[in-house]
Amino acid sequence: MSKLWGGRFTGSVDPVMERFNESLSYDKRMYRADVRGSQAYAKGLVQAGVITEEESEKIHNGLEQVLKEWQDGTFKIVQSDEDIHTANERRLAEIIGSAAGKLHTGRSRNDQVATDMRIWLLEQVDTLSALMKDLLKVTIARAQSEIDHIMPGYTHLQRAQPIRWSHFLLSHCGFFISDLKRLQDLRPRISVLPLGSGPLAGNPFAMPRDLLQKELGFDSLSLNSMQGVADRDFIAEFLFWTTMVMVHISRLAEDLIIYSSSEFGFVTLSDAYSTGSSIMPQKKNPDSLELLRGKTGRVFGDFTGLLMTLKGVPSTYNKDLQEDKEPMFDAAHTIENSLLVLQGVISTMNIHPENMRRSLTDDMLATDLAEYLVRKGIPFRETHHISGSAVRLAEESKISLSQLTLEQLQSLSPKFEKDVEEVFSFETSVERRDVVGGTSRRAVLEQIETVKAVLEK
Ligand code: ARG
């Protein structure tokens, strides 16, 4: 008898529910992790005395074929495949027959999925570390070859003090170096193996978990089986990491968007990373940078979304946890592309040192003028005031600071002498900032060496 509520309810599961429940459409990208996890598990089963060496070999080879089918795109998904775990096991059974039915002994999709995600993410960490390094390499290469150029440095987006263009580039490298270190710090916390936790209470077949750990190259084993299947903190940490990197990328993008405007004209993006307007022929838009800035919001959404999902999930596995995958995949995919695009933007953009130079104005040396008087023995608070008066005097006289005569300056302080003209050089100004982390040539080169040393590690 058909169900009273009939209609679209044809099978035991509502097709809408089936679609709602499936995760294969996105977790299939973990096919290799799933195969590797299962091959290791089969070895464990041999040692636990559950299957024979022969059966393990059959499973191993069958899984190699499953892997190959995914790789060459011939894996055929069937309706009943709910996720990557069920799909691979179903296919394995088709290939090797009944031995496949022993693979899942003592294992649950709960410890399996947590394992797969960690394997998958560890590979991502390697990919992303390499991309971060490439980005840093490209950026310091520019910093090195363009070290001569001086530009305005800004606070409050108001011209503040002259800096080397390379100093600006290295300021962003500083953030990316921290990101690289942070990513590497994350590794041992991802590399914790939950396999052998079973559904929640542990494996009942004397599974040698240390063997699984060795097989899969993990740093450690999860402490407790209930936590093992429930723990998604490593994903939350990864998503924080991606968010933080995107924030850094976004701030750099914002700087470059501003610098590429006609009003600034410090940089021009290459055509490869900009687009034109469909109506205004004169326009060249920094779309790449705007997308980088925009995608930051998206990745932040992945991060907060996962934390919201985790909040309130009762102990061990609950299906809510399936919602951990899409944010992880999305953030990983987005950050990977973002790093590639940013690297492309930085390596191909043109800079316009003449416009940087033209934007330097004498008033940006007002601090240097105050410091000149400090060197003549006047306390800084007084010299700050005197230099401020000089700025006002120049403004009132409608001339630039450097055009004030020695007499005019001496009317503000008798300590001004002929050598004050040396203050009005942007080169001198940057070269004076010769401390570790400063903008002098030596200090900038030193920063480049520091970055190189990190990259070589
Ligand atoms: N597709 C599931 C997930 O991604 C696998 C784990 C299913 N476990 C279960 N007890 N239903 O979370």
Side-chain angles (χ1 to χ4, degrees):
M1 203 180 94
S2 68
K3 289 179 190 136
L4 269 184
W5 56 92
R8 60 204 172 81
F9 295 90
T10 51
S12 52
V13 176
D14 180 347
V16 173
M17 175 55 193
E18 201 162 66
R19 260 179 278 136
F20 196 58
N21 189 42
E22 72 84 27
S23 57
L24 184 60
S25 54
Y26 48 86
D27 67 17
K28 63 184 177 201
R29 68 194 80 195
M30 301 195 301
Y31 64 81
R32 192 178 35 244
D34 193 69
V35 164
R36 294 291 176 240
S38 287
Q39 287 173 330
Y41 194 73
K43 288 199 178 156
L45 285 173
V46 175
Q47 222 181 81
V50 175
I51 63 172
T52 64
E53 195 75 65
E54 254 183 348
E55 286 169 323
S56 167
E57 213 173 288
K58 254 186 155 178
I59 290 173
H60 182 93
N61 296 338
L63 284 169
E64 278 305 305
Q65 187 181 328
V66 170
L67 178 61
K68 200 176 155 289
E69 290 179 9
W70 279 113
Q71 276 165 346
D72 58 27
T74 54
F75 190 100
K76 283 203 185 52
I77 293 169
V78 304
Q79 171 98 31
S80 59
D81 292 344
E82 189 183 310
D83 51 29
I84 185 63
H85 326 294
T86 52
N88 279 353
E89 198 182 320
R90 189 260 314 151
R91 183 67 191 125
L92 179 66
E94 289 168 4
I95 299 169
I96 68 163
S98 63
K102 296 189 176 179
L103 172 62
H104 210 53
T105 314
R107 186 176 65 170
S108 157
R109 276 187 294 162
N110 298 355
D111 54 347
Q112 188 177 3
V113 70
T115 299
D116 289 6
M117 291 185 81
R118 289 175 185 270
I119 296 174
W120 186 88
L121 197 53
L122 285 169
E123 277 177 21
Q124 281 297 304
V125 166
D126 293 341
T127 307
L128 293 171
S129 292
L131 283 175
M132 298 260 3
K133 286 183 178 180
D134 289 347
L135 172 64
L136 282 159
K137 271 182 213 154
V138 158
T139 313
I140 57 168
R142 278 210 92 126
Q144 185 133 27
S145 67
E146 294 170 344
I147 195 160
D148 291 336
H149 308 313
I150 299 177
M151 66 180 279
Y154 300 86
T155 65
H156 311 267
L157 211 53
Q158 308 289 321
R159 282 195 286 247
Q161 288 185 319
I163 54 164
R164 290 189 185 277
W165 156 250
S166 304
H167 195 59
F168 160 75
L169 289 177
L170 281 156
S171 70
H172 288 283
C173 289
F175 288 110
F176 294 135
I177 282 281
S178 304
D179 292 331
L180 180 60
K181 288 183 182 161
R182 218 175 264 126
L183 182 61
Q184 286 160 356
D185 291 347
L186 203 58
R187 211 167 203 295
R189 289 192 297 284
I190 304 173
S191 193
V192 179
L193 185 67
L195 196 57
S197 294
L200 79 160
N203 190 292
F205 290 102
M207 174 58 56
R209 293 191 67 205
D210 51 342
L211 176 98
L212 300 178
Q213 182 194 335
K214 228 171 82 211
E215 279 296 318
L216 292 168
F218 272 60
D219 289 356
S220 62
L221 292 171
S222 54
L223 171 79
N224 168 292
S225 59
M226 290 176 72
Q227 190 232 354
V229 298
D231 185 3
R232 298 295 184 271
D233 294 5
F234 66 103
I235 304 171
E237 279 199 73
F238 174 69
L239 292 179
F240 168 74
W241 180 81
T242 52
T243 304
M244 197 72 256
V245 179
M246 287 307 293
V247 167
H248 297 150
I249 290 177
S250 186
R251 292 180 73 175
L252 170 55
E254 176 67 5
D255 276 342
L256 293 177
I257 288 168
I258 292 169
Y259 294 169
S260 70
S261 66
S262 314
E263 282 72 9
F264 277 76
F266 295 171
V267 305
T268 308
L269 294 205
S270 82
D271 288 347
Y273 295 97
S274 10
T275 62
S277 156
S278 55
I279 176 164
M280 297 165 284
Q282 86 283 9
K283 290 199 71 185
K284 180 162 163 174
N285 300 324
D287 296 44
S288 50
L289 296 169
E290 291 163 25
L291 281 167
L292 289 171
R293 194 175 54 188
K295 284 185 190 288
T296 304
R298 167 193 184 114
V299 170
F300 187 23
D302 290 331
F303 175 45
T304 54
L306 178 77
L307 289 180
M308 289 309 286
T309 296
L310 293 181
K311 171 193 167 299
V313 174
S315 267
T316 81
Y317 183 85
N318 297 261
K319 201 60 177 266
D320 317 42
L321 294 183
Q322 180 164 286
E323 287 297 306
D324 59 358
K325 269 161 223 68
E326 284 170 292
M328 179 177 83
F329 294 142
D330 183 69
H333 173 78
T334 306
I335 193 92
E336 187 173 334
N337 286 332
S338 298
L339 289 169
L340 280 168
V341 167
L342 182 59
Q343 187 195 323
V345 168
I346 291 183
S347 56
T348 59
M349 68 188 175
N350 281 318
I351 63 164
H352 306 292
E354 65 292 352
N355 291 340
M356 296 177 184
R357 176 54 69 150
R358 209 173 302 131
S359 303
L360 292 167
T361 47
D362 288 350
D363 56 315
M364 298 179 65
L365 298 170
T367 314
D368 296 71
L369 189 65
E371 287 155 1
Y372 165 90
L373 291 174
V374 167
R375 292 192 173 89
K376 303 269 174 187
I378 308 180
F380 176 73
R381 274 295 152 227
E382 279 173 50
T383 71
H384 180 271
H385 185 79
I386 297 166
S387 178
S389 309
V391 170
R392 198 177 54 234
L393 182 59
E395 252 169 38
E396 282 165 4
S397 322
K398 295 200 171 22
I399 54 175
S400 78
L401 195 59
S402 65
Q403 287 169 322
L404 289 172
T405 63
L406 185 58
E407 291 69 41
Q408 280 174 305
L409 286 172
Q410 282 171 340
S411 74
L412 302 171
S413 165
K415 294 278 189 180
F416 279 118
E417 290 172 69
K418 177 98 181 62
D419 62 354
V420 71
E421 359 173 290
E422 285 160 30
V423 167
F424 297 107
S425 151
F426 300 112
E427 271 74 17
T428 306
S429 173
V430 295
E431 282 308 279
R432 277 206 199 281
R433 279 139 184 98
D434 192 33
V435 288
V436 174
T439 199
S440 75
R441 178 182 301 271
R442 193 205 55 79
V444 170
L445 287 172
E446 188 175 71
Q447 291 164 49
I448 292 172
E449 289 312 311
T450 306
V451 175
K452 277 188 189 160
V454 174
L455 290 180
E456 272 153 29
K457 259 203 269 163

